[in-house]
Amino acid sequence: MKKTKPFFFCFFLLLPLLGCEELEELIEEEFDVTLTFEGDLNITSRSSVSDISDPISIRTETASYNIAADPEVAEVIGDNSEVKKIKINRIRYSYIDFEGNEEAVVVEGGFSFRLINNIERTIPITDTGVNVAEADFRNDVFTIEEGFGSIEEGFNENFQTVLISYFGTLSHNPVDFKVGITVDVTVTIKPDVDNF
């Protein structure tokens, strides 16, 4: 937010020097606010298994994040219509606090993004074949930097709140761990002159 505060300070200094048309053009320029939200997601559900070599499917709790209420956004918008676009720059994630069968390898998985209107979009993970216990021990961080198009479309339909969870299938059981997630987002804002 460091870029927008000086902008508004300069704006108020220039206020007496500008005519209405110039002022309106200045205010209506789009600008970007970069946000990061993060959290640790605990496993909340597991598929049934009968043997330690059975694959197990897990799903984590859902983290909720309100973009419109983020202080960096809330202090510069008058209403939600001023948010013109939301772009996901990257998702970083890691496996932490692993306990259980150290043979467990990620077979498949991904992140689920559910928006306030209950539209659900998923993005697959990039670390299939990774041993979760070893990844936790090494503090490995995995990154997804593309494939966010359908999620961004959903954001732009109704961006206020996003619900994020992790789902995956592992080769062995039992397993227990957390998924640490960090999502970097750019919010494009175009102020409405009527709100000044």
Side-chain angles (χ1 to χ4, degrees):
M1 197 54 194
K2 293 185 175 78
K3 294 180 182 175
T4 57
K5 287 179 183 171
F7 168 78
F8 283 109
F9 178 72
C10 293
F11 160 73
F12 286 112
L13 288 177
L14 292 172
L15 196 58
L17 304 174
L18 296 173
C20 289
E21 287 182 22
E22 292 89 349
L23 180 61
E24 190 168 317
E25 284 179 24
L26 178 63
I27 295 173
E28 287 193 350
E29 286 297 315
E30 290 186 351
F31 61 92
D32 292 339
V33 177
T34 302
L35 307 175
T36 298
F37 46 96
E38 57 190 0
D40 294 340
L41 307 176
N42 296 291
I43 294 174
T44 56
S45 66
R46 299 169 173 81
S47 63
S48 58
V49 292
S50 58
D51 185 85
I52 62 170
S53 62
D54 287 346
I56 184 169
S57 295
I58 59 96
R59 193 168 186 102
T60 69
E61 64 190 338
T62 300
S64 174
Y65 190 79
N66 187 323
I67 294 172
D70 186 287
E72 300 286 320
V73 174
E75 74 176 325
V76 294
I77 64 172
D79 64 60
N80 295 344
S81 66
E82 294 177 16
V83 174
K84 299 303 175 187
K85 184 172 70 171
I86 295 175
K87 179 180 183 298
I88 301 174
N89 301 315
R90 67 180 176 177
I91 298 172
R92 288 169 289 161
Y93 62 99
S94 58
Y95 300 107
I96 54 181
D97 298 338
F98 179 86
E99 293 179 3
N101 190 332
E102 295 185 357
E103 300 283 320
V105 168
V106 177
V107 176
E108 62 182 354
F111 288 96
S112 167
F113 285 75
R114 197 165 74 251
L115 307 173
I116 203 166
N117 51 9
N118 282 328
I119 294 174
E120 186 171 6
R121 311 277 166 84
T122 60
I123 184 80
I125 57 174
T126 57
D127 64 310
T128 56
V130 167
N131 180 291
V132 181
E134 291 176 7
D136 176 22
F137 178 76
R138 291 190 306 258
N139 297 315
D140 290 342
V141 177
F142 304 93
T143 304
I144 305 171
E145 295 183 303
E146 57 186 16
F148 305 123
S150 66
I151 299 168
E152 291 167 345
E153 286 171 18
F155 268 143
N156 294 323
E157 291 169 18
N158 191 330
F159 72 90
Q160 291 186 50
T161 302
V162 60
L163 306 172
I164 307 170
S165 61
Y166 172 94
F167 60 91
T169 301
L170 292 92
S171 62
H172 291 73
N173 72 89
V175 293
D176 192 32
F177 57 88
K178 297 176 186 172
V179 178
I181 181 172
T182 302
V183 183
D184 297 321
V185 172
T186 299
V187 181
T188 301
I189 296 171
K190 184 174 183 180
D192 184 345
V193 291
D194 294 334
N195 291 324
F196 286 93

